[in-house]
């Protein structure tokens, strides 16, 4: 069995836990507790990690880890990154400054992005707004990062599977 470790990161409420629950073939593991951060209106938040699995074939499987969004748990970002083959950054387009959010993850995961593959996924957005996607692509280019940008509703299994495919395409390239 060949297994690839994939990381999903991004700001609080961007949909990391939801994305993993949408695609996982096993009951997803989650470490969510009551949220005490009033700046984000959300009942629960992840404090350690999420985990789910997706099989690609009889011999190949993705092991997907979701990180906590809150920066105070950033030590977990490093722990979880060990041995990862790719990164998905979720950007919540309803936040005050999504580009600043994105920059936090670009910075903290810079080594993983440089050494492996990355996809930026815009969540909670209008999926038909191509101009918005291009804005993110331009921002990434200005930061010297080359990776695909794709909008998705992470509650939809097909959307999340497409993001995973985009990531895998780069790994096989
Ligand atoms: N309206 C709307 N809601 C969405 C969309 N995508 C995700 N959500 C909701 O947004 C919430 C995301 O919550 P989580 O999946 O817990 O987010 P998270 O990234 O794991 O957050 P932390 O663990 O706190 O960092 C869920 O309630 C989703 O149902 C979208 O496109 N539109
Ligand atoms: Mg979570």
């Amino acid at each position: 069995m060949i297994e690839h470790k994939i990381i999903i990161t991004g700001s609080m409420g961007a949909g990391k836990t939801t994305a993993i629950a949408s695609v996982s073939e096993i009951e997803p593991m989650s470490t969510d507790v009551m949220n005490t951060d009033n700046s984000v209106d959300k009942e629960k938040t992840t404090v350690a990690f999420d985990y789910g699995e997706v099989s690609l074939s009889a011999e190949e499987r993705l092991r997907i880890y979701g990180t906590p969004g809150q920066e105070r748990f950033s030590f977990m970002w490093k722990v979880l990154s060990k041995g990862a083959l790719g990164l998905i950054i979720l950007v919540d387009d309803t936040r005050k400054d999504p580009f600043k959010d994105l920059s936090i993850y670009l910075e903290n995961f810079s080594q993983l992005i440089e050494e492996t593959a990355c996809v930026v996924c815009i969540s909670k957005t209008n999926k038909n707004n191509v101009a918005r996607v291009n804005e993110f692509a331009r921002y990434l280019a200005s930061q010297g990062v080359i990776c695909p940008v794709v909008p998705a509703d992470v509650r939809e299994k097909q959307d999340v599977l497409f993001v995973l495919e985009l990531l895998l395409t780069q790994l096989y390239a």
Side-chain angles (χ1 to χ4, degrees):
M1 175 68 76
I2 305 167
E3 295 183 314
H4 306 291
K5 179 180 179 181
I6 302 290
I7 308 291
I8 303 186
T9 194
S11 62
M12 205 179 154
K16 304 171 294 291
T17 300
T18 304
I20 290 176
S22 292
V23 290
S24 183
E25 289 158 4
I26 60 163
E27 183 66 29
M29 201 184 294
S30 167
T31 57
D32 280 19
V33 300
M34 296 309 285
N35 172 32
T36 55
D37 181 341
N38 295 324
S39 72
V40 178
D41 179 22
K42 205 153 85 71
E43 193 186 346
K44 289 184 162 185
T45 189
T46 305
V47 290
F49 64 92
D50 304 294
Y51 178 74
E53 291 179 359
V54 173
S55 39
L56 304 172
S57 67
E59 311 83 43
E60 212 172 351
R61 181 158 60 202
L62 292 181
R63 302 166 62 92
I64 309 172
Y65 290 81
T67 72
Q70 294 179 76
E71 239 177 322
R72 65 189 170 110
F73 295 121
S74 61
F75 64 94
M76 279 305 297
W77 301 350
K78 297 269 177 295
V79 173
L80 290 171
S81 292
K82 280 226 161 65
L85 272 182
L87 178 71
I88 294 164
I89 304 177
L90 287 186
V91 186
D92 177 347
D93 206 11
T94 64
R95 298 248 306 169
K96 199 174 67 211
D97 190 348
F99 296 98
K100 182 157 179 283
D101 290 341
L102 176 55
S103 74
I104 291 171
Y105 300 93
L106 290 178
E107 190 180 316
N108 281 276
F109 289 90
S110 59
Q111 197 183 347
L112 193 57
I113 294 168
E114 233 167 78
E115 293 171 357
T116 68
C118 177
V119 172
V120 171
C121 172
I122 314 169
S123 66
K124 300 185 181 177
T125 192
N126 172 2
K127 287 195 278 182
N128 300 316
N129 190 346
V130 179
R132 186 63 176 154
V133 174
N134 287 338
E135 275 182 57
F136 278 96
R138 270 196 302 274
Y139 176 78
L140 281 173
S142 76
Q143 301 301 302
V145 177
I146 300 164
C147 72
V149 185
V150 61
D153 184 335
V154 296
R155 298 167 298 181
E156 300 285 340
K157 182 178 183 178
Q158 287 310 317
D159 281 22
V160 182
L161 285 177
F162 181 68
V163 174
L164 291 173
E165 264 169 39
L166 264 181
L167 189 67
L168 289 170
T169 308
Q170 293 177 72
L171 295 178
Y172 290 126

